[in-house]
Amino acid sequence: MTRTKTLSASLPALDHPDPQTLASEVLMALKYRVGKDTTVATPYDWLTASIKVVRDRIIDHWISATKETYEQQEKRVYYLSLEFLIGRLMRDAFSNLDIMDPMREALASLGVDLDEIATLEPDAALGNGGLGRLAACFMESMATVDVPAHGYGIRYANGMFRQEIQDGWQVELPETWLDHGNSWEFERRERSFEVGFGGSVESVTAKDGRLERHVWKPLEHVLAVAYDTPVVGWKAKRVNTLRLWSGMPVDPILLDKFNAGDHIGALAESNKADALSRVLYPADSHKAGQELRLRQEYFFSTASLQDIVQRHLSQYGELASLPDKAAIHLNDTHPAVAVPELMRLLMDVHGMDFSQAWDITKRTFAYTNHTLLPEALESWPVPLFERLLPRHMQIVYAINAEVLQEARSSNRFSGDQIAAISLIQENGDRRVRMGNLAFVGSHSINGVSALHTELMKQTVFADLHRLYPDRINNKTNGITPRRWLIQCNPGLTALARQAIGDRFLDDIEAIKELDRFAGDAAFRDKFAAVKRANKTRLANLVADRLGIRVDPSALFDIQIKRIHEYKRQLLNILEAVALYDQIRSHPEKDWTPRVKFFGGKAAPSYHNAKLIIKLANDVAKVVNGDPAVRGLLKVVFVPNYNVSAAEIMMPAADLSEQISTAGMEASGTGNMKFALNGALTIGTLDGANVEMKEHVGDDNIFIFGLKADEVAERRRGDYQPRAIIEALPELAQAISAISSGVFSPHDPDRYRDLMNGLYDSDWFMVAADFDAYAATQREVDAVWNDRADWNARAIRNVARMGWFSSDRTIRQYAKEIWNVPV
Ligand SMILES: *Cc1c(COP(=O)(O)O)cnc(C)c1O
């Protein structure tokens, strides 16, 4: 039963400090927290002092919220995620505490420029892409809609790599975001837990000879130490905790070894512990199957569960009520080992029998699936799992026996179907299937868009869904409008406030009132002026950093996201090459000036993705340098795409490229950020694009290409990309130009295999969708050339995107999965 939330009187109200008060707080922080005076303070010191001021203000709300949750015995949500793609926090905090303007004034009175110090804040990139950014948006929304929550993850010393482009190639450099320390976090040395690996399992028998319990005797031990960052919601309604674990040795130095002269060996423990929180695996929707990765997964899962169990026990004194007071959410399968770990804690440490532990486990966990790509579905070789986690292996077998027994006794499943339900993959090398483990250990399994959820039921989890038909549900992703509108697009926010008042700040769905302004010519002009200013800012950045001049009056066409074949940056590049050819051969035609921006990182081991980055840069070089193009087409690859880059690029886009092969993008959230900032989408009916089309309306989005079922059908049938290419002269020309070295004259064979792949198999259906895509781009040109019509459509996009707020998503999770009041 969900009880409704009553507004609490005990939480402190948001106060409105004047600039003088804030200025004196900054000076105090500079002196007593940084230890400097104004004459020697560097810009970085001012940043630190400013963060301390806003953090102090947050702490008051943090402590009262925590106390209230305890006293009211509220159910807590625990969000376990191996990734949190946080980005910078200072502006967000100013904005959510409503002190941006007085803070700007306070700093100015001290001779400090807020915008300048804000760019010095490290961009916390503890994630790869969409999955990690979703976790960060969820943390902010949980605080905003007043859900008591903890995020749990790893405090990577090196998060996502920094991407440099050297001679057109991606080069990966370590991102050392903690170099200057981290002004946001609190180190909690006292909050540390032991983590074991390896060893053996012993059985303890009672006097009558019956097996009493199992005891795992690990061979290795490390400590997980907590670092807490407060996460503040809109108007500081609630402050939650992001708790990240760092690895520490139990014995920092092995003195026996040191004294015996083995100075390096003496540090072995320290190095092993350090490795656990050293790097984020930079693989997105791609294999990351290394032993260290499984160690990282267990490390943060057990530390989080020990913390949760201890908190619950200290408040309630027993564990039977855990599912009533704690909802533990698994963001993808990375924390799936938490399922056997909770079972182990309940049975081996707290003496429960299997069936009670299993009941509690299933009622406590819920799991979100993020991908159907076979190469991204996690599984671990049984021998590795068994060596590292011998007790968990036993528990996985016990769970499997229980589940398979249920399936067999229903008499509804064939042998093949039973094999698909099993937690162990038996053909080839034996592996533990983490998706199946997360599924059977959870009462709720959700997809992240309507289409993705349907495909989950039909493909990877078809048989598990038949066995447990009430578990799969949909929760379409969302984005926080604080970061992705209010904070990153102050021009559009101010314009909207003038037009419809402030209600949309508290409830983003109220932005729909902007809809009627689509027909208002004066408003459209103001809207266009805001967009123009945002485009000019991006143009200046590109000129400064890359030396490429682009015209802000051209159509800004942007594709920024991880580089992956299924996201089809290659389709976009091929269309650019075809367009380039057309502009050159038909100079008399009235071409629409366009700038195609690309940005994104490739997994370092992903050969084709890295080659696609090089291709974008090679094409850019030729196109941008060709006088025959007369500036009508420019191609720009923006290096090191991250949250901070997104905050500048989203508001500057006219056209958002969301062109994945249908059925392959689970949701997308970049698509939502663009549309909320007034870009029109060109996209396939994939992921959340399907629902965006329903919300913004068919006339306000450009949809093309094969649908998911048509892609599946072609793959089953005999798809002949060669015939398609040969029938499309523009495509054939583009492919042959790239293949023959027009864009790589010093290495003419560079792209030969990549292009041959299109002829031979074309798994991602680039050829099948090319013609529809190119034709739709010419339709885009036509609408762009009627600027009043374009702007009206763009305004309707902004007005109709409120539903894609992560506040809405979190409310649905709270009501339908976690059973907590909102
Ligand atoms: C939103 C976001 C993503 C996800 O983009 P998609 O287009 O949905 O793949 C990835 N990286 C960053 C930095 C983001 O802000």
Side-chain angles (χ1 to χ4, degrees):
M1 254 258 306
T2 308
R3 84 193 151 77
T4 358
K5 195 146 207 161
T6 45
L7 261 185
S8 153
S10 61
L11 295 179
L14 202 58
D15 65 349
H16 294 282
D18 55 37
Q20 293 75 14
T21 307
L22 289 170
S24 71
E25 286 177 17
V26 171
L27 285 174
M28 292 286 275
L30 185 69
K31 186 168 169 193
Y32 293 108
R33 313 285 279 282
V34 184
K36 294 212 183 164
D37 77 5
T38 55
T39 56
V40 293
T42 64
Y44 199 87
D45 296 327
W46 287 111
L47 171 71
T48 305
S50 305
I51 292 174
K52 294 300 184 197
V53 167
V54 67
R55 195 184 71 166
D56 287 354
R57 292 180 158 271
I58 290 170
I59 289 170
D60 294 334
H61 299 272
W62 195 19
I63 288 174
S64 43
T66 308
K67 189 157 157 270
E68 165 139 327
T69 299
Y70 184 84
E71 284 169 357
Q72 303 291 317
Q73 303 197 345
E74 292 173 314
K75 185 172 184 179
R76 297 178 176 91
V77 171
Y78 296 106
Y79 196 82
L80 271 59
S81 180
L82 204 48
E83 305 189 10
F84 288 91
L85 190 49
I86 302 166
R88 294 179 175 137
L89 285 175
M90 188 176 72
R91 268 178 195 283
D92 231 38
F94 288 164
S95 172
N96 278 2
L97 289 180
D98 200 18
I99 58 170
M100 185 72 84
D101 293 338
M103 198 67 189
R104 184 183 296 284
E105 220 180 291
L107 288 168
S109 75
L110 300 167
V112 176
D113 180 358
L114 188 153
D115 296 325
E116 195 182 310
I117 61 169
T119 61
L120 298 177
E121 184 181 358
D123 181 302
L126 309 184
N128 273 282
L131 174 151
R133 184 54 234 175
L134 185 76
C137 283
F138 277 8
M139 287 305 297
E140 201 269 359
S141 277
M142 286 191 282
T144 293
V145 308
D146 203 9
V147 169
H150 292 246
Y152 280 111
I154 293 180
R155 182 180 175 272
Y156 302 105
N158 297 115
M160 193 58 202
F161 64 82
R162 187 158 56 80
Q163 178 194 58
E164 271 188 16
I165 300 298
Q166 293 176 11
D167 186 30
W169 294 100
Q170 166 173 297
V171 174
E172 303 96 24
L173 300 163
E175 183 72 280
T176 51
W177 69 294
L178 293 170
D179 273 356
H180 294 264
N182 177 353
S183 304
W184 288 105
E185 70 189 7
F186 291 89
E187 182 177 346
R188 310 279 194 208
R189 287 276 177 143
E190 77 288 359
R191 208 66 190 162
S192 69
F193 295 94
E194 266 200 24
V195 177
F197 292 107
S200 56
V201 180
E202 290 174 12
S203 322
V204 179
T205 41
K207 284 198 203 79
D208 62 4
R210 281 193 316 142
L211 178 73
E212 195 151 90
R213 64 169 75 175
H214 293 278
V215 181
W216 177 27
K217 295 276 165 70
L219 197 64
E220 305 169 39
H221 291 93
V222 293
L223 289 179
V225 177
Y227 286 73
D228 289 350
T229 300
V231 179
V232 63
W234 177 241
K235 293 192 174 162
K237 216 179 274 169
R238 165 177 287 278
V239 180
N240 282 326
T241 305
L242 175 61
R243 174 160 283 183
L244 300 179
W245 302 104
S246 187
M248 298 265 260
V250 177
D251 296 312
I253 181 153
L254 302 173
L255 269 185
D256 292 357
K257 284 197 176 180
F258 189 85
N259 292 337
D262 182 5
H263 300 163
I264 304 282
L267 295 172
E269 295 288 298
S270 192
N271 293 338
K272 264 190 194 159
D274 184 66
L276 288 167
S277 48
R278 171 59 57 189
V279 286
L280 165 73
Y281 276 88
D284 189 75
S285 306
H286 205 251
K287 279 191 193 58
Q290 300 292 321
E291 176 173 338
L292 180 58
R293 170 75 162 200
L294 180 57
R295 285 177 179 255
Q296 287 183 328
E297 294 181 356
Y298 179 66
F299 165 77
F300 102 102
S301 297
T302 182
S304 309
L305 283 184
Q306 290 182 60
D307 198 29
I308 293 165
V309 165
Q310 193 176 102
R311 185 177 300 110
H312 186 86
L313 275 178
S314 78
Q315 181 162 12
Y316 300 103
E318 44 75 42
L319 287 169
S321 62
L322 187 69
D324 305 320
K325 296 297 175 185
I328 306 180
H329 206 91
L330 307 175
N331 192 28
D332 213 323
T333 56
H334 314 143
V337 70
V339 169
E341 173 65 1
L342 182 59
M343 291 291 287
R344 185 186 71 87
L345 294 172
L346 295 176
M347 294 190 298
D348 299 0
V349 181
H350 296 281
M352 280 184 197
D353 64 20
F354 180 91
S355 72
Q356 191 189 4
W358 186 226
D359 175 64
I360 289 176
T361 297
K362 285 186 290 187
R363 287 196 291 128
T364 304
F365 282 114
Y367 151 56
T368 298
N369 172 277
H370 283 271
T371 179
L372 306 172
L373 300 184
E375 67 269 31
L377 290 178
E378 239 191 328
S379 68
W380 293 103
V382 166
L384 168 63
F385 200 97
E386 192 159 34
R387 173 166 58 77
L388 229 47
L389 303 166
R391 178 60 181 137
H392 299 79
M393 192 69 243
Q394 292 179 341
I395 294 171
V396 167
Y397 284 137
I399 294 171
N400 204 30
E402 175 87 11
V403 169
L404 295 182
Q405 172 57 32
E406 260 183 77
R408 287 200 185 96
S409 64
S410 76
N411 280 323
R412 295 193 295 134
F413 298 95
S414 69
D416 283 354
Q417 291 166 335
I418 296 281
I421 287 169
S422 175
L423 304 189
I424 310 294
Q425 175 196 305
E426 302 280 0
N427 54 344
D429 58 338
R430 299 182 73 228
R431 303 178 78 92
V432 183
R433 293 171 171 150
M434 302 305 268
N436 291 29
L437 177 59
F439 192 117
V440 302
S442 299
H443 62 278
S444 163
I445 295 91
N446 74 284
V448 290
S449 72
L451 174 64
H452 165 238
T453 304
E454 274 320 299
L455 293 174
M456 255 168 71
K457 292 181 186 171
Q458 292 167 19
T459 61
V460 264
F461 293 137
D463 295 302
L464 276 166
H465 175 57
R466 267 211 316 136
L467 182 58
Y468 304 118
D470 56 351
R471 291 196 192 176
I472 293 186
N473 63 91
N474 177 240
K475 300 286 170 283
T476 298
N477 281 168
I479 54 169
T480 166
R482 269 73 61 188
R483 184 177 292 264
W484 297 114
L485 176 64
I486 296 171
Q487 197 254 109
C488 76
N489 201 340
L492 183 53
T493 304
L495 180 62
R497 291 174 74 178
Q498 276 173 23
I500 61 170
D502 285 357
R503 201 160 71 83
F504 76 95
L505 300 176
D506 295 328
D507 172 12
I508 191 65
E509 301 219 22
I511 200 150
K512 64 171 174 287
E513 289 164 40
L514 272 186
D515 215 74
R516 58 194 161 91
F517 288 89
D520 175 334
F523 184 86
R524 283 199 306 261
D525 288 346
K526 289 186 208 156
F527 178 87
V530 167
K531 181 62 82 180
R532 169 81 184 211
N534 292 335
K535 290 168 72 176
T536 303
R537 180 168 68 146
L538 177 58
N540 291 340
L541 203 98
V542 161
D544 288 352
R545 299 228 186 120
L546 307 175
I548 302 174
R549 293 171 55 83
V550 299
D551 179 356
S553 65
L555 188 158
F556 277 19
D557 163 340
I558 307 190
Q559 186 173 23
I560 41 177
K561 49 180 73 246
R562 287 301 290 255
I563 311 292
H564 206 298
E565 286 163 287
Y566 86 80
K567 291 177 181 278
R568 294 202 295 193
Q569 282 90 357
L570 194 52
L571 176 60
N572 192 347
I573 296 169
L574 282 167
E575 201 274 328
V577 170
L579 181 61
Y580 168 59
D581 193 44
Q582 292 290 308
I583 292 174
R584 278 169 50 97
S585 40
H586 300 284
E588 75 290 351
K589 278 202 188 161
D590 207 8
W591 298 102
T592 301
R594 196 188 270 248
V595 185
K596 277 188 176 281
F597 292 91
F598 293 88
K601 294 172 184 174
S605 62
Y606 190 167
H607 176 262
N608 277 359
K610 295 180 93 167
L611 200 55
I612 288 168
I613 291 177
K614 174 64 172 162
L615 177 60
N617 282 291
D618 279 349
V619 169
K621 203 168 163 189
V622 171
V623 170
N624 299 347
D626 188 340
V629 176
R630 292 167 290 138
L632 291 168
L633 176 63
K634 289 259 162 105
V635 178
V636 181
F637 190 94
V638 178
N640 201 37
Y641 177 54
N642 60 9
V643 171
S644 298
E647 287 168 4
I648 293 170
M649 297 181 77
M650 297 293 172
D654 296 307
L655 187 67
S656 156
E657 297 268 358
Q658 308 301 335
I659 58 175
S660 51
T661 313
M664 302 195 81
E665 185 75 271
S667 164
T669 49
N671 46 3
M672 302 169 190
K673 300 167 196 165
F674 276 111
L676 183 61
N677 283 279
L680 304 196
T681 302
I682 182 167
T684 47
L685 279 178
D686 199 15
N689 293 354
V690 177
E691 289 149 88
M692 281 174 56
K693 172 173 173 284
E694 284 162 14
H695 279 82
V696 305
D698 295 1
D699 293 342
N700 302 300
I701 189 166
F702 298 97
I703 296 293
F704 71 93
L706 296 176
K707 297 175 187 55
D709 53 345
E710 294 166 343
V711 168
E713 197 183 302
R714 295 250 185 147
R715 282 183 181 159
R716 276 194 306 271
D718 102 275
Y719 174 52
Q720 304 231 353
R722 183 174 298 274
I724 297 176
I725 296 167
E726 282 165 2
L728 293 173
E730 284 185 26
L731 175 59
Q733 281 245 9
I735 292 177
S736 109
I738 295 169
S739 190
S740 64
V742 168
F743 301 95
S744 55
H746 301 295
D747 182 5
D749 288 336
R750 181 176 292 149
Y751 301 111
R752 179 129 4 231
D753 291 347
L754 190 66
M755 294 299 108
N756 283 343
L758 295 178
Y759 277 105
D760 296 339
S761 63
D762 189 23
W763 179 249
F764 301 96
M765 305 265 149
V766 170
D769 275 343
F770 180 85
D771 199 35
Y773 178 58
T776 307
Q777 288 288 21
R778 300 293 76 77
E779 224 183 286
V780 168
D781 289 340
V783 178
W784 174 252
N785 289 320
D786 179 353
R787 207 57 57 81
D789 184 17
W790 181 278
N791 289 334
R793 296 185 197 212
I795 292 163
R796 284 187 208 110
N797 267 268
V798 178
R800 299 174 186 186
M801 282 299 292
W803 188 80
F804 294 90
S805 164
S806 45
D807 297 351
R808 182 269 312 155
T809 315
I810 285 298
R811 286 199 181 92
Q812 292 180 328
Y813 275 81
K815 285 190 195 137
E816 297 163 23
I817 299 178
W818 301 330
N819 193 26
V820 299
V822 280

